[in-house]
Amino acid sequence: MPKPWTTQPWLFAKTHDLEIERRQAADEGKDLAAVERDFKRLAAADLDNDVALWPKAQALFAKIQRLPIRKGYKFKEPNDPAGIRKARPKGRPAVRPPRLSDAAFYDKMYGAWLGRCCWCMAGKPVEGRRRRSMERILKAQGRWPLAHYWSMKVDPKVAAEENWFKDPGAAPSGTVIEGMTCMVEDDDTNYTATGYAILQRYGAAFTPADVAGFWLGNVPLYHVCTAERAAYRNLVMMLPPPGPDGRVDGEFSSATFANPYREWIGAQIRADFFGYAAPGNPERAADWAWRDACISHIKNGIYGEMWVAAMLAAAWTTDDVETILRAGLGEIPARSRLAAEIEKVLAWKKDGWTFDQAIDRIHADWNEAHGHDWCHTISNAAIVATGLLWGGLDFEKSVCQAVTCAFDTDCNGATVGSIVGLVLGAGRMPKKWTDPIRDTLLTGIHGLHEIKLSEMARQSCDLVAKL
């Protein structure tokens, strides 16, 4: 009989999760001196193969949650909505509601959905692949820089050396141009559909508990990853999400117990529909995003979702990239690590750095070969900001740059595509990108397993009018 921790990945801590937890706790400013021996003992044990060690790992993760912040830590990163509002920057951009005809509103909504799906697909075949590997494959195909969906056709020697797909059946189903017929299921688009379904079912006053309940009833466990799967496990164990004020009923919440991924990118990719549904109102979009994010994430994990939702809300009314980025920054703590990273990217652009210089710096600061860096909110947010700033709202350039930067390619492509697609609208999107997915989205969400994107956009417009 298979061991449960081999058939249920991410439900049990593994040895590599200890290093992720150490990195995560240090990033948060925790003083780890009191737990160093605990880390060493567990790291030396066979955590991967001995389920009896799981309670010890849980105990260590719980102990870390109780540790104080070390002296001199320069960031201020609250989790509760009141604390976040208080910590926002002064002089936040003024964003006004859009004045659009029904047809123009629909065009933007449809563009957002198309942009998210097309550029999620652009990144999906290379998720987890390194930057130089992507460049080598594309150059071997005579397709560098990327300007269309990925193709399986490449010199056999390069394909073997880079472990590239030999035929469409070897690729993730339907994600290369040779086999594409729709937007296949992906967590990035599952979450956009989930945001729509939550607002449709519960309305504008939905709570974190509503989000948790929706997940348990409509999102299969194995369709979520990392922080979301840890939170799902915790919810089943009766650990609640925070209340609407951010308070936790008990010592731990669904986001904080044994969840080393609590600042990873999962919440950031759940933001989009909350921005679609709050045109010209970044504050409302960010508030909805907080209610969604807090069930699985803390601090910068929460801020990532708020930042993206607020940017999308602003993208309804402006095509100025810096204004969009700053509208997002206006809804998160000014002294957060995420805000500091985005400010760095903005400064690089202002100082005349090239795109390659910016990406080289991101890769110097974050190690794409380490899971914590590869999947963290902040590293990927830096790539999103870079794709937007250097892409100049050129639909193809913005997203292809974001994808070939590496890190979480489908997530970053989807986020940049969503923003640019909303600004431009469906009518201005290149058909060579939109036609291959045939206006069709597949999801793992109950009741939304297959739907036309044009119909999804229509239903979204109707919903927004009621909120």
Side-chain angles (χ1 to χ4, degrees), residues 392-464:
L393 293 181
D394 179 297
F395 196 65
E396 188 169 287
K397 183 179 179 182
S398 296
V399 185
C400 288
Q401 285 184 341
V403 167
T404 52
C405 290
F407 291 83
D408 206 335
T409 52
D410 60 337
C411 295
N412 297 334
T415 297
V416 174
S418 190
I419 293 169
V420 177
L422 197 158
V423 172
L424 297 180
R428 294 170 63 190
M429 293 175 63
K431 289 189 178 296
K432 75 171 188 178
W433 287 100
T434 59
D435 283 355
I437 66 169
R438 302 182 187 179
D439 194 38
T440 303
L441 169 65
L442 307 183
T443 84
I445 309 306
H446 180 68
L448 294 169
H449 291 304
E450 180 174 343
I451 191 166
K452 292 294 184 182
L453 286 166
S454 52
E455 179 58 25
M456 190 79 251
R458 179 67 62 195
Q459 292 182 21
S460 298
C461 291
D462 292 343
L463 175 59
V464 171

Side-chain angles (χ1 to χ4, degrees), residues 278-330:
N281 194 340
E283 186 170 37
R284 189 186 207 195
D287 177 57
W288 283 337
W290 178 89
R291 300 182 215 174
D292 180 78
C294 71
I295 76 168
S296 57
H297 287 71
I298 68 165
K299 299 186 179 182
N300 293 273
I302 293 174
Y303 309 155
E305 182 166 354
M306 297 177 72
W307 177 65
V308 171
M311 285 197 294
L312 281 158
W316 281 98
T317 65
T318 180
D319 61 1
D320 182 78
V321 171
E322 183 170 349
T323 299
I324 291 170
L325 288 166
R326 291 207 173 277
L329 290 175

